[in-house]
Amino acid sequence: MRTVRRVIREKAFQSLFQLSTDIDCTFEEVIQYSLESELDMKKEFSLEEAMKQVLPQDKNGNQIVKDALDYLSILVSGVKENESVIDETITKHLKSWTLSRLERTNLLILRLAAYELLYQKEIDKRVVMNEAIELTKDFNDQKASKFVNGVLQSIVDTQS
């Protein structure tokens, strides 16, 4: 079952992927695109309506939708605004790799998780790591998830 935070992270990843291919889009546009990717394209949805549609049915009340949109926006803007620091952190923990060699999917998932580890201290590090691993399995494969886990574990170990 998809949790609210899982949906938020998935949509943040999709938004960051869109931003990495179309730099002329705004944060709001890519968030809208990511939310609408699961919806009937014949209808127009506000951000709130789209978020309500993609969240689990038992978790889509007005306050949850607002909080989910707020956190989604924080993740997307936070990753982009802090990209250089995040990339420096990731680079320090790559063994025999460079950022330019990483698949875009893995890089974006690492950036998203590293942002949460570095800037969202109230979120449990194990949850962040687990979500990143699951996203990697969904958007890449098992082998890539082990790589992402190793890099994130190294980041966590140096923070302790």
Side-chain angles (χ1 to χ4, degrees):
M1 182 177 132
R2 291 169 61 189
T3 64
V4 172
R5 285 290 169 119
R6 176 63 181 268
V7 171
I8 294 168
R9 288 182 179 103
E10 184 179 295
K11 296 305 173 186
F13 165 74
Q14 291 171 337
S15 297
L16 292 167
F17 196 92
Q18 179 71 31
L19 279 173
S20 74
T21 59
D22 188 352
I23 58 173
D24 293 331
C25 284
T26 66
F27 293 158
E28 188 172 295
E29 287 172 332
V30 295
I31 288 170
Q32 184 83 35
Y33 296 149
S34 73
L35 292 171
E36 289 178 347
S37 68
E38 292 182 40
L39 304 177
D40 181 357
M41 297 306 283
K42 295 176 185 164
K43 295 182 181 179
E44 287 191 31
F45 295 92
S46 68
L47 279 175
E48 293 80 11
E49 292 167 335
M51 180 59 86
K52 187 172 186 161
Q53 293 293 315
V54 300
L55 290 175
Q57 291 298 318
D58 62 334
K59 303 269 197 246
N60 65 3
N62 291 340
Q63 189 60 47
I64 293 173
V65 168
K66 181 188 177 319
D67 292 346
L69 280 172
D70 288 347
Y71 195 60
L72 176 54
S73 182
I74 286 167
L75 288 178
V76 174
S77 61
V79 169
K80 291 309 288 180
E81 290 166 7
N82 296 287
E83 195 170 288
S84 61
V85 172
I86 292 167
D87 284 356
E88 280 178 36
T89 302
I90 293 169
T91 299
K92 288 178 193 173
H93 299 278
L94 294 174
K95 294 177 180 150
S96 304
W97 285 83
T98 61
L99 285 180
S100 62
R101 281 188 59 209
L102 296 179
E103 290 181 41
R104 184 182 318 176
T105 302
N106 296 342
L107 175 59
L108 294 173
I109 291 170
L110 283 169
R111 282 178 177 162
L112 180 60
Y115 170 77
E116 285 191 286
L117 292 171
L118 297 171
Y119 296 97
Q120 300 294 319
K121 304 275 188 190
E122 71 281 358
I123 309 243
D124 187 323
K125 292 173 180 12
R126 295 169 300 190
V127 171
V128 172
M129 288 181 57
N130 185 58
E131 290 286 339
I133 292 163
E134 293 304 315
L135 277 174
T136 308
K137 287 177 186 175
D138 288 347
F139 292 99
N140 202 325
D141 61 24
Q142 185 72 31
K143 186 176 178 183
S145 71
K146 290 178 182 178
F147 173 77
V148 166
N149 181 49
V151 175
L152 294 177
Q153 187 62 59
S154 179
I155 292 171
V156 167
D157 289 347
T158 60
Q159 287 185 323
S160 302

